[in-house]
Amino acid sequence: MKVKTQSKKVNKSWLNDHVNDPYVKLAQKEGYRARAAYKLKEINETLNLIRPGSFVVDLGSAPGAWSQYTRRCLSPQGAAVGELDGTVIALDILPMTPVEGVIFLQGDFREPEIASELTTLLAGRKIDAVLSDMAPNLSGIESADAARMTHLVELAVEFAISHLSSQGALVVKVFHGSGYSQLVKLFKDTFKVVKPIKPKASRSNSSENFIVGIGLK
């Protein structure tokens, strides 16, 4: 009973923090599906990765906040609908409510059918930015969670090596803890410029962090 009570307290505390979170309120006001949009916004405003005319792929895109933000970056007026200067392709194994102007493929990007669809959409073009907010379902066992996270980041890096333009960028979510230094090394071995970033919208008590790699070696 004690564990159950503690769990209820934790859930209530999280819910209270979430409801009162300024980024949650801002997301609701500005029409984003999740506060995660502001993490990408800060990263992009710092490094200028997504510009009008860009070709962007969003891995692990559901519920769609990163795709929404990217779509607005490619709009001449920064609008959520209407004219679009660029291409956004979103992929996820989960369903995602459509975002106007964003092409969505549901499935694992390693599967032949999805890979073939993506190849057709790319039509020989290279990608300017690969975005990955992918994360595993956490078990609470640090070593197992770190291994799953590392695997997802490695998949994103492999995808980027195959599809990025020479000066393109990869943004991935990571957890600061076991395996983090190895992932930074992987990025340094793969990219000319590597930038770890902890956006303000990423909760201070979270081990969540992001690594950006720019320009394939």
Side-chain angles (χ1 to χ4, degrees):
M1 287 297 290
K2 187 177 180 182
V3 174
K4 193 173 181 182
T5 303
Q6 187 177 18
S7 176
K8 282 184 177 178
K9 285 181 180 177
V10 169
N11 289 339
K12 189 174 181 180
S13 175
W14 179 89
L15 185 61
N16 184 61
D17 289 346
H18 182 76
V19 168
N20 293 302
D21 187 304
Y23 289 103
V24 171
K25 292 179 178 177
L26 193 58
Q28 292 169 345
K29 180 182 176 183
E30 297 189 341
Y32 286 115
R33 296 173 186 175
R35 66 194 300 285
Y38 299 100
K39 301 170 190 177
L40 180 60
K41 184 174 188 286
E42 183 176 336
I43 292 168
N44 188 51
E45 288 178 349
T46 302
L47 298 172
N48 193 30
L49 306 175
I50 306 166
R51 301 177 291 276
S54 291
F55 196 140
V56 182
V57 170
D58 182 6
L59 301 177
S61 57
W66 278 25
S67 288
Q68 286 180 301
Y69 172 74
T70 301
R71 186 256 181 272
R72 295 186 193 192
C73 286
L74 301 183
S75 168
Q77 283 80 39
V81 295
E83 191 179 350
L84 195 64
D85 180 12
T87 303
V88 189
I89 299 175
L91 300 99
D92 204 308
I93 59 174
L94 300 173
M96 186 180 92
T97 303
V99 175
E100 185 185 302
V102 174
I103 301 163
F104 176 62
L105 300 179
Q106 185 176 351
D108 188 326
F109 59 82
R110 296 170 296 172
E111 293 174 354
E113 184 181 341
I114 299 299
S116 177
E117 284 188 62
L118 183 61
T119 298
T120 300
L121 289 169
L122 292 176
R125 293 173 294 175
K126 289 292 186 179
I127 298 166
D128 297 301
V130 173
L131 313 174
S132 173
D133 197 27
M134 294 190 295
N137 291 324
L138 300 180
S139 65
I141 302 169
E142 186 181 351
S143 58
D145 291 338
R148 292 191 187 103
M149 191 75 218
T150 296
H151 179 60
L152 290 177
V153 173
E154 288 172 345
L155 289 176
V157 171
E158 288 174 15
F159 183 91
I161 290 171
S162 298
H163 298 294
L164 268 185
S165 65
S166 60
Q167 295 305 311
L170 170 64
V171 180
V172 299
K173 174 156 70 180
V174 296
F175 295 135
H176 207 297
S178 176
Y180 177 79
S181 58
Q182 291 93 321
L183 292 177
V184 172
K185 183 181 185 302
L186 173 61
F187 265 68
K188 288 183 175 178
D189 289 342
T190 307
F191 296 96
K192 295 171 186 173
V193 177
V194 176
K195 301 276 189 183
I197 296 180
K198 173 81 170 178
K200 294 183 182 69
S202 185
R203 291 187 172 99
S204 58
N205 61 351
S206 169
S207 63
E208 178 185 74
N209 205 354
F210 293 84
I211 306 177
V212 181
I214 304 171
L216 290 169
K217 283 188 173 179

